[in-house]
Amino acid sequence: EAAVTQSPRNKVAVTGGKVTLSCNQTNNHNNMYWYRQDTGHGLRLIHYSYGAGSTEKGDIPDGYKASRPSQENFSLILELATPSQTSVYFCASGDAGGRYAEQFFGPGTRLTVL
Amino acid sequence: AQSVTQPDARVTVSEGASLQLRCKYSYSATPYLFWYVQYPRQGLQLLLKYYSGDPVVQGVNSFEAEFSKSNSSFHLQKASVHWSDSAVYFCALSAVNSAGNKLTFGIGTRVLVRP
């Protein structure tokens, strides 16, 4: 069954450490997205990608990098984690073009930065 | 720029009662509109979507939503809720021809269904 998976599901990191969140999709979608979810803000877009090798800045990219090495995989990288990056992170995939704007979400990664 | 407003952060209803969740959007044209549901400790799941045509769209689990261009709204409704409908509901918008089909989300409405 087509799906979006994320790893790890839970992560505790220390301030200043490097964190990599991974996402894999079997939907064969061109577009992939990283969001964070915080109370009072809903989901906010961090980075997205049109396909392998591409990354684009979303609405809140500061402090985050992204990598799309293949169609299936999209990573979010926190080079120097800070407590303000404690959040739940969601990856999503979607097809390109018009009426296919629907996105399919992974189960989320809960990140705590101490 | 587009935006989505969900004015009710929390809604409590009794099992068997009707439910309406409000969503207002701001966009210069007719957008693509979505309602997603998030159950505890899970990702978002699509309930329904509107692209064009009939302003009343049917979704999964007996949910429906009505698009109103004049009111810039896309309210979600269910005639009779079950305890399992307790979740967080998000309204989202995608601008037509948006680069990357990016979604703009509201802050969500947490629904608690009392037995």
Side-chain angles (χ1 to χ4, degrees):
Chain A
E1 181 177 322
V4 179
T5 56
Q6 296 181 230
S7 63
R9 294 294 311 278
N10 293 280
K11 173 75 176 179
V12 179
V14 296
T15 297
K18 182 178 181 179
V19 177
T20 299
L21 307 183
S22 299
C23 177
N24 177 275
Q25 57 107 355
T26 57
N27 297 322
N28 198 31
H29 287 155
N30 290 325
N31 297 344
M32 295 186 74
Y33 311 83
W34 276 107
Y35 296 89
R36 62 178 285 176
Q37 181 182 22
D38 303 286
T39 302
H41 291 279
L43 275 75
R44 292 179 290 175
L45 182 65
I46 305 170
H47 284 288
Y48 62 104
S49 168
Y50 293 114
S54 94
T55 61
E56 305 291 334
K57 293 181 179 180
D59 299 322
I60 53 164
D62 292 346
Y64 302 93
K65 293 183 180 179
S67 173
R68 182 88 181 269
S70 65
Q71 176 84 340
E72 297 80 17
N73 295 295
F74 190 37
S75 297
L76 185 68
I77 302 154
L78 291 66
E79 294 278 4
L80 294 170
T82 69
S84 64
Q85 294 175 314
T86 293
S87 187
V88 181
Y89 291 85
F90 288 97
C91 177
S93 73
D95 215 337
R99 62 184 295 112
Y100 302 105
E102 175 184 347
Q103 293 180 19
F104 298 82
F105 285 81
T109 294
R110 185 172 296 272
L111 173 65
T112 302
V113 183
L114 302 175
Chain B
Q2 60 262 29
S3 66
V4 176
T5 301
Q6 294 181 249
D8 304 309
R10 291 178 178 268
V11 171
T12 301
V13 294
S14 298
E15 194 166 24
S18 63
L19 174 69
Q20 184 189 64
L21 303 181
R22 295 182 291 166
C23 173
K24 299 271 287 184
Y25 69 88
S26 175
Y27 180 58
S28 56
T30 299
Y32 300 131
L33 292 162
F34 306 84
W35 275 100
Y36 282 87
V37 61
Q38 183 182 31
Y39 299 106
R41 300 281 178 164
Q42 295 186 27
L44 278 69
Q45 302 172 33
L46 183 70
L47 275 179
L48 48 77
K49 56 193 176 188
Y50 173 80
Y51 291 130
S52 64
D54 189 338
V56 178
V57 292
Q58 305 295 324
V60 300
N61 202 18
S62 301
F63 282 95
E64 69 175 34
E66 183 168 4
F67 168 71
S68 171
K69 186 174 183 178
S70 60
N71 293 325
S72 298
S73 66
F74 189 55
H75 300 331
L76 181 71
Q77 300 173 91
K78 186 170 184 178
S80 177
V81 297
H82 186 263
W83 64 266
S84 59
D85 293 321
S86 295
V88 181
Y89 294 79
F90 291 97
C91 183
L93 171 160
S94 178
V96 175
N97 297 321
S98 162
N101 289 337
K102 294 179 287 182
L103 289 176
T104 299
F105 285 88
I107 65 171
T109 298
R110 182 175 298 275
V111 173
L112 175 63
V113 180
R114 296 180 302 197

